[in-house]
Amino acid sequence: MLMEIEKVINHQFQNESQKLIAELLYSANWLENLIAKALSPLDISFQQLNVLRIIHGQEANKANVQVIKDRMIDDRSNVSRLLNKLCEKGFTLKDRCTRDQRVVYIALTEKGIEVMKQGKAKMEQIQFSLNNKKLQNLNNLLEELRS
């Protein structure tokens, strides 16, 4: 069943651009809620999972803070706060560089690797009611929109 945005929010749009803005914002919120629900049993947010995945993708499961900031999907994220939360949960460890005390490396713990794998599996279980061709078209349109 299609959910027309005009009916959902009870509003008529002046033009297709205004409708698209509402569609994207409404869909982003819907997707954030879907992801939060999927990750809630692990007690992590999507941003925290993103940090764990970034670190896991680095050599020796270790990354400096700048690498993490540069690779975040949501560049508005407060990386310091996220790193502190992950450290408090026992998912990461902080390690200062011996050559330059300003540089801090973040390493995954075994617990962090495990929760990252579980989170990744939960994210892979999220499915959409579109076939692969429609998903490719939507991905292409969104990339074109951002260019």
Side-chain angles (χ1 to χ4, degrees):
M1 181 172 107
L2 290 177
M3 292 178 26
E4 294 178 27
I5 192 72
E6 291 94 346
K7 290 179 183 173
V8 172
I9 65 172
N10 194 25
H11 180 77
Q12 292 299 314
F13 298 97
Q14 294 176 356
N15 56 50
E16 288 300 312
S17 290
Q18 294 304 305
K19 181 179 176 181
L20 177 61
I21 291 169
E23 288 278 11
L24 289 171
L25 291 172
Y26 189 86
S27 296
N29 189 50
W30 168 80
L31 184 57
E32 279 183 23
N33 288 332
L34 189 68
I35 291 169
K37 185 177 178 183
L39 295 177
S40 68
L42 302 175
D43 191 31
I44 60 169
S45 67
F46 175 71
Q47 291 84 359
Q48 290 171 341
L49 177 61
N50 188 26
V51 169
L52 295 176
R53 291 180 78 171
I54 290 166
I55 297 168
H56 189 257
Q58 301 304 302
E59 187 176 329
N61 293 330
K62 193 175 188 180
N64 70 43
V65 176
Q66 192 58 52
V67 166
I68 296 168
K69 283 182 183 178
D70 291 345
R71 296 190 181 176
M72 289 294 293
I73 290 173
D74 180 357
D75 60 3
R76 298 168 296 152
S77 296
N78 182 333
V79 176
S80 296
R81 185 183 55 79
L82 288 172
L83 293 173
N84 288 339
K85 284 280 193 193
L86 291 169
C87 209
E88 288 170 14
K89 293 178 180 187
F91 299 152
T92 60
L93 297 171
K94 292 182 180 182
D95 183 27
R96 289 220 179 263
C97 178
T98 54
R99 292 184 309 253
D100 185 347
Q101 290 292 307
R102 296 171 296 176
V103 177
V104 177
Y105 288 100
I106 310 299
L108 290 182
T109 63
E110 288 300 319
K111 186 177 176 183
I113 292 170
E114 184 56 35
V115 81
M116 185 275 308
K117 287 179 180 177
Q118 291 174 13
K120 183 179 175 189
K122 295 235 180 237
M123 292 294 294
E124 289 169 357
Q125 290 174 358
I126 295 174
Q127 298 293 315
F128 301 101
S129 61
L130 299 175
N131 65 35
N132 205 45
K133 182 67 176 163
K134 286 184 178 181
L135 289 171
Q136 287 175 338
N137 288 341
L138 181 56
N139 282 326
N140 291 337
L141 285 170
L142 290 171
E143 288 172 6
E144 188 176 331
L145 180 68
R146 288 189 311 271
S147 63

